[in-house]
Amino acid sequence: MTRRASGEVDAGQIYKLRMNILKLPEVEDKLAFVKNLSNSGGSVILDLDELKWFSGDEAEAAAQEDGKPDAGSLTNGIYFSNSSESIGSVNLKPEVLIA
């Protein structure tokens, strides 16, 4: 990845890198709120509140199912559902890179 003189990285390069990383079998792509980040015994622990992302007709159906047919985000054709109250934990290696 090359940096510009300003120190910025090209967005296209970041996108290509992300797409290649997501093809790796041990990589999982999640959309979540990070509720807590801690370091315990050499491991980094993330507590995550996962969201589901819907678009188009699926967004309207999911909003209806959640009882929020007039959700403000639907004007953009996108709906985020956070119907579960469970928080999951992910243990990561200390050298993890989170973007």
Side-chain angles (χ1 to χ4, degrees):
M1 210 173 319
T2 57
R3 288 189 181 266
R4 297 183 181 137
S6 65
E8 295 176 359
V9 177
D10 181 80
Q13 288 180 320
I14 292 172
Y15 177 79
K16 286 179 188 175
L17 178 61
R18 182 175 189 272
M19 292 299 103
N20 285 325
I21 289 171
L22 290 174
K23 291 177 185 174
L24 296 171
E26 65 274 6
V27 173
E28 188 175 348
D29 192 14
K30 293 184 178 212
L31 177 63
F33 291 112
V34 176
K35 302 302 273 186
N36 189 41
L37 173 66
S38 59
N39 190 338
S40 175
S43 291
V44 175
I45 301 168
L46 277 179
D47 293 333
L48 303 173
D49 182 6
E50 289 188 53
L51 302 169
K52 292 181 183 173
W53 170 335
F54 300 93
S55 61
D57 292 338
E58 289 180 339
E60 290 183 29
Q64 290 281 342
E65 196 171 300
D66 285 351
K68 301 176 183 177
D70 298 323
S73 64
L74 286 173
T75 57
N76 298 327
I78 297 172
Y79 177 69
F80 298 98
S81 176
N82 190 6
S83 56
S84 171
E85 297 202 18
S86 66
I87 305 292
S89 292
V90 178
N91 293 322
L92 306 168
K93 293 182 180 178
E95 64 272 9
V96 67
L97 175 62
I98 301 172

